[in-house]
Amino acid sequence: MLDFIKKLFSPPPKPLASYGRTDTGRVRGHNEDAFCILPEQHVFLVADGMGGHNAGEVASRIAIEALTDYIINKAGKNLQGSNEEIRHALINGLRKANEKVMTLAASDDDLQGMGCTFVSCLVAGNSLHTCHVGDARCYIADEKKLEQITTDHTSLAKFDQKVRDDDMTMEIVPPPRHVVTRAIGFPFNEDPEYHTRNIRPGNRILLCSDGLWSMVDHDEMHRIITNAESPEQASNLLVDRANEGGGKDNITAVVVFID
């Protein structure tokens, strides 16, 4: 009983050191990426919009707002509960965001077909939880390696997996990288993808849109995020390097340091 009372009245978790930056890049006319940091809930979100007439910008903003509202007002204690409670809360939150975007798109001809890729990340104790659709990514870095936690929901990723599974060696033309197979704004035929990983002090987490990882190679991202003195420095260096590499898309980087 004493342990229960201590837990009930214990202070909320200390906010993690984190920082996010988004940039239009050097080619696009406007920025359809969006991100959000909820420091008290240890939640981090990145969305990458798609659709004509600036609808992608609307989709990413609405999806971020809908999931943020769900986390703050409805998910409650489930965000620091068991793994199964956290999994359910994150998946349900993305479903709520999807419903909100689809409803808005159906009500306005200019917004029809809008959508966004989306990755959410929650740190609870010594665990990292992610839930995503599309090719926005989450990585964990330590001094030795940078590990991609999420899997890309794209035609190219599906093609590459089939090649590996079937041990195909003949030359086949792969599909374009940018064709997304799962996204917010379209019916979910299956749950958003969920992962959990153990984390430890010294780990660094990166959430990003494809405008970053398509412009900066894996080793360079690892070097930047492990050598940076702060999340702000890491985010700024990553975005700057993506622009130096061409900046062909909008760029977003959210970095979290685990104490």
Side-chain angles (χ1 to χ4, degrees), residues 95 98 181-183 186-192:
R95 286 193 169 278
N98 192 44
T181 57
R182 297 169 65 182
F186 303 90
F188 285 168
N189 295 320
E190 54 188 318
D191 280 340

Side-chain angles (χ1 to χ4, degrees), residues 53-125:
H53 304 289
N54 297 347
E57 182 177 352
V58 176
S60 59
R61 175 176 57 82
I62 294 299
I64 290 280
E65 289 176 355
L67 186 53
T68 298
D69 176 70
Y70 175 79
I71 287 170
I72 293 176
N73 297 315
K74 300 179 180 66
K77 63 181 179 60
N78 291 337
L79 287 175
Q80 295 295 329
S82 68
N83 283 359
E84 185 55 34
E85 288 174 326
I86 292 172
R87 175 182 177 276
H88 176 77
L90 291 178
I91 289 176
N92 198 43
L94 258 69
R95 286 193 169 278
K96 296 293 185 184
N98 192 44
E99 292 169 5
K100 188 71 174 289
V101 171
M102 290 182 64
T103 298
L104 184 60
S107 69
D108 187 333
D109 289 343
D110 288 338
L111 301 179
Q112 289 186 7
M114 74 174 178
C116 63
T117 64
F118 200 107
V119 59
S120 60
C121 161
L122 165 69
V123 176

Side-chain angles (χ1 to χ4, degrees), residues 171-204:
E171 293 186 5
I172 301 176
V173 178
R177 178 191 63 79
H178 63 271
V179 178
V180 176
T181 57
R182 297 169 65 182
I184 296 285
F186 303 90
F188 285 168
N189 295 320
E190 54 188 318
D191 280 340
E193 188 169 333
Y194 165 85
H195 296 279
T196 184
R197 291 286 190 279
N198 290 331
I199 52 176
R200 59 181 177 79
N203 283 156
R204 297 180 176 187

Side-chain angles (χ1 to χ4, degrees), residues 4 19 27 33 38 57 59 69 79 108 139 144 181 218 244:
F4 171 78
Y19 189 83
V27 175
D33 284 3
L38 300 175
E57 182 177 352
D69 176 70
L79 287 175
D108 187 333
Y139 296 88
K144 295 182 179 180
T181 57
H218 192 89
E244 291 167 7

Side-chain angles (χ1 to χ4, degrees), residues 25-38:
R26 294 187 171 182
V27 175
R28 300 295 179 90
H30 62 283
N31 193 350
E32 296 189 339
D33 284 3
F35 74 90
C36 181
I37 295 174
L38 300 175

